[in-house]
Amino acid sequence: MASTSNDNVPQHMNAPENASDELEPGACHDSILNPTDSFEEFASEMSSSLRETCLTTKSSTISEIQSEILETAEDPKLKAAKSSDDLQTKDGSMSASASNSNLIEENGDDTDDDKDYLQSPELVNKEKHVFILSTAGKPIYSRYGNEDKLAGLCGVIQALVSVIEEQNQDILRFINTKDCKAVFLVKGPLILVAVSKSNESETQLVLQLTYAFNQIVSLLTLTQLNRIFEQRRNYDLRRLLAGAERLIDHLLVFMEKDPAFLLGAVRCLPLPEKARENITNAITTTCHKIRDLVFAIMIAGNQLITLVRMKKYTLHPSDIHLLFNLIRSSESFKTAESWTPICLPKFDATGFLHGHVSYISEDCQACLLLLTVQRDAFTTLSQAKHTIAEKMRRANCLVAINNALNRNEELSTTKPLKHIGIPEIRHFMYKCKSTAQLFSSDPISLDRLQDYRLRHKEGGDIVDKKITKLSDIDYVRNYRKFCNQIHCVATPAKLIFRSSSQDTILSWVTNGFELYVTFDPLMEKDHAIKAVDRLLRWIKKEEERIFIMNAPTF
Amino acid sequence: MSRCDFKIVLLGSEHVGKTSLVLRFVNCRFNAEIPYQNTVGAAFCAKAMRSKEKDYSIGIWDTAGSERYEAMTRIYYRGAHAAIICYEPSSHESWTRLRHWLHELRTVEDSCKVYLCGTKKDLLDGGFVKREVAEEIVNTYSQDLNGHFLTSSKTGENVDELFQKIVDDLAADVEVMKTVTESRLLLTELDKRKSKKDVCAC
Ligand SMILES: Nc1nc2c(ncn2[C@@H]2O[C@H](COP(=O)(O)OP(=O)(O)OP(=O)(O)O)[C@@H](O)[C@H]2O)c(=O)[nH]1
Ligand SMILES: [Mg+2]
């Protein structure tokens, strides 16, 4: 039995909303995150015409900030320091180091070998492939196997894309076969392709490719990416992407498993209200005089602890996801304080922010990112970091963070299902739309993600094995279809209720939130609705702990 | 933390072993089990050292060797008192890059002391790799520089020696020590003023 209602939500479904005149759980008037829905963006992506795909970028937020600071700067030295940061060498040409001269242009022309390679165990039977190549057809990244040996395949992809573009004046978006989808995304000088046998929709796959593209932009900036290929169409981008393969690998696994990507939202580390407030205060009191600081972000285990920002500016969830991915994937931040250029594509794809990145202390795995427009700010920020860490320690914040990270059983947010006390609920995930934050019953445990990653590295193969006990990852996998129906542009559903002998799934979207719940099988609709009501009340009661309910500025 | 007397920067191609060298020196450890990960941007470490019975704090910048950061690297070596340029004796390419850094430093930071460091000596000694950079060439180059060391971060051979030599050289340099004394004075002055202010604010 399944029912979908598009416009008329059943009368009693309104009950939870009307029960109290308050805002939906988690909502607040000011948000640190920019709540643009990624699905909306997708729609605009898809409606873009051929010409628009050669990316034109709007004005730079970073230069805007820099000039604002300069206007108010009394110190003439500061004025002189205005920089348009760029990885390019002075003359604007590609860097001309000695090692560039021995560029060997290798093109696997041997198509026979290529064919054999495509049949090799490294490549067959994978659930999802991702390939990235330049519009000239040069391989840049392959999720499995060695992209060098895939020059032949890349040539074919490039030919397909360009034939449709040139002869039909059209864009190649999807190719569907019986059991497989191929999704294409041409962005600036790059072609990204996903070939998938998973249950992800075309939309979801395109979003993933967009993320992969943004990951590359975050290392190079869009300006530089475009310029490189303008100067040399045949450039082998891998030379500039050291370490990027690892980042993209991790990102792809992360996107398949963490509902944050499915929902376009950020997960917060559940913390006692007072603890979060103390942490935020430690940052604001230390940093309020550092004029070039744009964002101070504290994260732990892919969860946001706090975000303090320059007035007027917010971050997009997808930029935060890229930061999560960078921190999770880089060991080098753990051993020392780092100072690195970072481009946040949604914030400003044309330039770099400079990031001071460090863990709070040996005994607390929270990572602090201080992002500035000033490339010489390291010393100032390094001092600020030590002051912040000291203040946090004195206010017992480190203990609070560790308790949350170690999932201390005494916290009601550690095992929410136990505290909600509705035994029929197996799993849920909730997104507050106005603040782009999410909460789920079983935060993807990092160990499990790690496990999965390891398994995936070896395999990524399709397995038919019957799953006996579902993990959070499997629940998220099951929600994909529902999520897609809810965001379907043509006929969006508001409420979906599907009961089967396996489980009962309810998904519900309102103006304020999105909710996905898995119940025991063959659950009655009325019963489920009552349970959802209680669930929402619980989330409301806990909202100050599980969400960031304010939007602090420096 | 970042108020250091001496600023030392490490340069060199990716994978030559800069991060391993710093970790060996600062934390006295080397782990061959951990798979290689490139440094992102640059990493900063501080360490206290002694030279001729006097204490100094040194700040070490471990930069990323990737070409991606090449133009950025200038912000890391600006104002450095000493630079360690690393190469792998078994990699000709890393030597070519070293010459690039040498040139760059000479033009931008001419007062910076320069030390060459051949890495992964244990691999060379054990015969696991073949030397590609002839010793005579290295010697010719290092004549005009402040020193040349062959180190192993795995065994620790010559690592402390390298850094000790740098600190000794810097501590013996009158020009360098003049600026160090000045900036120390300035900092204590600032601290005094700051703590006074804090008192007033209460
Ligand atoms: N046997 C041996 N291996 C070493 C030694 N030093 C470094 N390695 C190995 O060489 C690889 C690269 O070392 P890193 O120190 O990360 O290189 P890096 O110069 O910091 O590289 P980038 O950060 O990319 O610039 C790692 O796998 C190390 O384990 C050494 O002295 N002996
Ligand atoms: Mg390194």
Side-chain angles (χ1 to χ4, degrees):
Chain A
M1 112 180 140
S3 67
T4 313
S5 78
N6 286 333
D7 27 35
N8 277 339
V9 177
Q11 215 19 201
H12 45 271
M13 273 317 285
N14 286 324
E17 242 183 333
N18 295 347
S20 52
D21 274 347
E22 305 152 0
L23 289 166
E24 56 280 344
C28 66
H29 298 292
D30 242 348
S31 172
I32 41 173
L33 301 176
N34 172 346
T36 331
D37 205 298
S38 39
F39 285 92
E40 289 163 23
E41 267 171 60
F42 169 78
S44 72
E45 178 86 53
M46 285 299 99
S47 59
S48 65
S49 70
L50 199 56
R51 218 153 278 133
E52 280 165 299
T53 52
C54 35
L55 304 166
T56 43
T57 42
K58 44 181 196 324
S59 67
S60 156
T61 315
I62 291 173
S63 10
E64 181 186 308
I65 296 175
Q66 278 175 334
S67 53
E68 254 172 48
I69 291 167
L70 288 175
E71 274 166 28
T72 51
E74 311 102 48
D75 189 348
K77 253 188 274 160
L78 264 178
K79 295 205 184 190
K82 178 171 162 65
S83 61
S84 63
D85 285 316
D86 200 328
L87 289 183
Q88 296 283 302
T89 35
K90 303 156 273 198
D91 52 3
S93 68
M94 276 313 303
S95 54
S97 76
S99 63
N100 288 6
S101 51
N102 45 16
L103 223 200
I104 308 156
E105 308 254 334
E106 262 180 305
N107 243 329
D109 285 326
D110 207 342
T111 20
D112 271 353
D113 273 2
D114 268 7
K115 274 207 193 90
D116 287 346
Y117 186 62
L118 290 178
Q119 297 306 320
S120 75
E122 275 168 65
L123 293 175
V124 293
N125 205 36
K126 301 293 179 196
E127 192 180 60
K128 181 162 71 202
H129 282 282
V130 173
F131 306 105
I132 304 175
L133 49 138
S134 67
T135 39
K138 248 196 163 51
I140 295 169
Y141 169 87
S142 167
R143 183 176 193 181
Y144 302 107
N146 177 350
E147 71 276 355
D148 264 331
K149 298 193 197 161
L150 292 172
L153 178 71
C154 288
V156 173
I157 294 174
Q158 191 266 341
L160 270 176
V161 168
S162 66
V163 160
I164 291 179
E165 204 176 286
E166 277 153 32
Q167 299 189 354
N168 302 6
Q169 298 294 310
D170 211 340
I171 302 174
L172 174 62
R173 299 203 197 275
F174 317 123
I175 298 177
N176 285 334
T177 67
K178 197 164 96 265
D179 63 339
C180 186
K181 296 183 190 81
V183 174
F184 298 79
L185 179 67
V186 182
K187 267 199 166 289
L190 303 186
I191 301 174
L192 301 97
V193 187
V195 182
S196 165
K197 294 181 179 167
S198 76
N199 70 348
E200 288 153 309
S201 66
E202 284 86 351
T203 317
Q204 283 155 358
L205 292 169
V206 171
L207 282 175
Q208 295 182 7
L209 293 179
T210 312
Y211 263 102
F213 177 77
N214 284 340
Q215 178 71 72
I216 291 177
V217 170
S218 95
L219 298 172
L220 296 176
T221 75
L222 192 55
T223 317
Q224 191 180 205
L225 182 66
N226 286 332
R227 188 164 50 201
I228 289 165
F229 284 102
E230 271 161 30
Q231 282 167 3
R232 279 179 56 189
R233 213 173 100 79
N234 236 328
Y235 189 76
D236 184 352
L237 193 65
R238 286 174 302 170
R239 291 176 37 212
L240 287 182
L241 289 181
E245 188 170 30
R246 185 184 74 240
L247 290 176
I248 301 172
D249 282 348
H250 283 190
L251 184 69
L252 290 173
V253 173
F254 191 15
M255 286 193 286
E256 282 164 9
K257 304 312 148 207
D258 194 322
F261 291 90
L262 194 58
L263 295 175
V266 169
R267 190 198 298 275
C268 303
L269 182 73
L271 279 179
E273 205 189 334
K274 190 72 198 155
R276 199 183 312 273
E277 197 182 304
N278 285 338
I279 297 168
T280 308
N281 284 343
I283 295 176
T284 46
T285 52
T286 312
C287 299
H288 70 282
K289 280 204 185 122
I290 307 177
R291 47 189 313 140
D292 318 279
L293 195 56
V294 189
F295 295 109
I297 307 165
M298 194 174 301
I299 65 182
N302 287 342
Q303 301 165 85
L304 189 62
I305 293 176
T306 189
L307 191 164
V308 185
R309 66 213 170 82
M310 196 178 250
K311 228 171 260 148
K312 287 213 310 219
Y313 301 100
T314 55
L315 271 184
H316 192 280
S318 92
D319 282 342
I320 300 209
H321 292 152
L322 290 180
L323 291 175
F324 282 173
N325 190 50
L326 175 72
I327 302 300
R328 280 291 295 163
S329 319
S330 312
E331 285 300 312
S332 78
F333 295 135
K334 290 190 176 148
T335 44
E337 285 175 54
S338 292
W339 182 236
T340 181
I342 297 174
C343 168
L344 297 175
K346 297 274 180 182
F347 177 72
D348 184 348
T350 65
F352 282 112
L353 289 170
H354 297 272
H356 179 280
V357 187
S358 63
Y359 283 82
I360 289 300
S361 80
E362 295 254 313
D363 57 339
C364 180
Q365 289 303 297
C367 184
L368 178 68
L369 289 105
L370 301 169
L371 302 177
T372 171
V373 290
Q374 169 65 13
R375 55 152 77 187
D376 294 320
F378 177 82
T379 314
T380 317
L381 297 183
S382 170
Q383 274 163 15
K385 184 254 161 153
H386 289 283
T387 316
I388 291 168
E390 199 41 51
K391 285 181 182 168
M392 281 174 61
R393 190 180 292 279
R394 266 188 269 131
N396 280 328
C397 301
L398 304 192
V399 181
I401 292 174
N402 283 335
N403 276 339
L405 277 178
N406 300 331
R407 312 198 61 200
N408 187 323
E409 298 273 339
E410 279 166 30
L411 299 172
S412 57
T413 44
T414 296
K415 288 209 167 141
L417 289 181
K418 238 169 72 185
H419 287 264
I420 297 165
I422 309 171
E424 296 88 350
I425 296 185
R426 294 178 174 181
H427 183 273
F428 72 86
M429 60 183 200
Y430 172 91
K431 171 190 176 183
C432 173
K433 281 164 105 180
S434 61
T435 58
Q437 295 176 33
L438 89 114
F439 184 71
S440 74
S441 56
D442 198 4
I444 302 267
S445 95
L446 295 176
D447 306 337
R448 227 174 304 161
L449 200 60
Q450 199 65 38
D451 265 6
Y452 188 90
R453 198 172 281 161
L454 283 179
R455 257 191 292 145
H456 220 271
K457 210 165 162 190
E458 288 155 17
D461 292 350
I462 296 161
V463 271
D464 286 327
K465 203 183 76 204
K466 189 108 180 109
I467 306 155
T468 42
K469 191 177 179 306
L470 289 187
S471 75
D472 36 10
I473 289 170
D474 303 308
Y475 286 110
V476 173
R477 190 183 283 261
N478 286 340
Y479 293 139
R480 279 180 196 154
K481 202 170 67 209
F482 295 88
C483 193
N484 202 44
Q485 268 176 277
I486 274 180
H487 291 281
C488 168
V489 184
T491 51
K494 288 215 169 91
L495 177 75
I496 307 171
F497 183 82
R498 194 210 65 190
S499 190
S500 74
S501 60
Q502 308 262 314
D503 54 27
T504 303
I505 295 180
L506 181 143
S507 18
W508 183 21
V509 59
T510 70
N511 287 335
F513 64 79
E514 273 177 52
L515 177 69
Y516 301 81
V517 190
T518 308
F519 297 96
D520 286 344
L522 303 172
M523 181 90 169
E524 296 279 335
K525 200 167 175 180
D526 281 354
H527 201 69
I529 283 162
K530 282 206 193 81
V532 163
D533 186 22
R534 273 173 68 191
L535 173 60
L536 287 172
R537 278 172 211 279
W538 183 86
I539 299 176
K540 182 77 192 165
K541 182 165 73 72
E542 298 286 330
E543 65 179 359
E544 302 273 5
R545 276 179 283 270
I546 56 189
F547 297 114
I548 297 177
M549 301 282 293
N550 53 9
T553 54
F554 291 117
Chain B
M1 259 322 225
S2 41
R3 301 168 164 202
C4 293
D5 298 321
F6 302 139
K7 172 172 172 179
I8 301 175
V9 63
L10 275 93
L11 302 169
S13 310
E14 56 192 312
H15 201 264
V16 292
K18 298 177 294 297
T19 303
S20 307
L21 190 69
V22 175
L23 288 182
R24 161 58 76 181
F25 175 61
V26 176
N27 303 335
C28 306
R29 61 161 200 242
F30 176 82
N31 192 342
E33 308 289 283
I34 303 174
Y36 160 71
Q37 270 206 3
N38 64 309
T39 300
V40 181
F44 177 84
C45 282
K47 192 175 159 106
M49 293 200 45
R50 282 182 79 79
S51 174
K52 301 227 164 74
E53 317 288 295
K54 285 213 180 81
D55 289 317
Y56 300 95
S57 64
I58 63 167
I60 305 170
W61 278 101
D62 167 27
T63 63
S66 161
E67 252 180 64
R68 182 167 75 244
Y69 299 103
E70 189 159 291
M72 283 270 165
T73 308
R74 213 164 296 143
I75 52 180
Y76 306 119
Y77 63 66
R78 187 184 305 151
H81 296 103
I84 303 172
I85 315 184
C86 301
Y87 69 98
E88 249 186 278
S90 62
S91 152
H92 195 269
E93 201 186 322
S94 73
W95 178 257
T96 323
R97 279 278 279 181
L98 175 141
R99 295 208 315 253
H100 158 76
W101 287 121
L102 207 55
H103 178 76
E104 185 81 17
L105 273 176
R106 285 235 177 95
T107 44
V108 183
E109 292 288 330
D110 51 357
S111 62
C112 177
K113 295 187 193 307
V114 179
Y115 300 79
L116 298 192
C117 175
T119 56
K120 310 187 189 178
K121 181 168 189 291
D122 59 292
L123 295 181
L124 211 58
D125 292 348
F128 299 105
V129 293
K130 227 180 76 223
R131 186 182 261 285
E132 274 187 15
V133 187
E135 276 175 272
E136 306 89 73
I137 297 182
V138 182
N139 289 337
T140 329
Y141 266 87
S142 51
Q143 260 167 19
D144 306 336
L145 304 173
N146 299 77
H148 173 238
F149 287 79
L150 257 182
T151 62
S152 164
S153 306
K154 188 173 180 183
T155 64
E157 190 179 347
N158 280 335
V159 175
D160 287 342
E161 287 81 350
L162 164 66
F163 284 92
Q164 192 60 54
K165 164 101 164 79
I166 295 176
V167 174
D168 289 343
D169 287 357
L170 289 172
D173 187 315
V174 187
E175 281 301 307
V176 172
M177 284 317 293
K178 219 166 79 191
T179 58
V180 168
T181 324
E182 270 168 22
S183 70
R184 276 182 176 181
L185 271 174
L186 195 72
L187 278 177
T188 33
E189 191 59 34
L190 276 177
D191 279 349
K192 250 192 247 155
R193 238 185 278 165
K194 218 194 207 157
S195 57
K196 250 190 222 144
K197 228 199 227 155
D198 283 350
V199 175
C200 296
C202 290

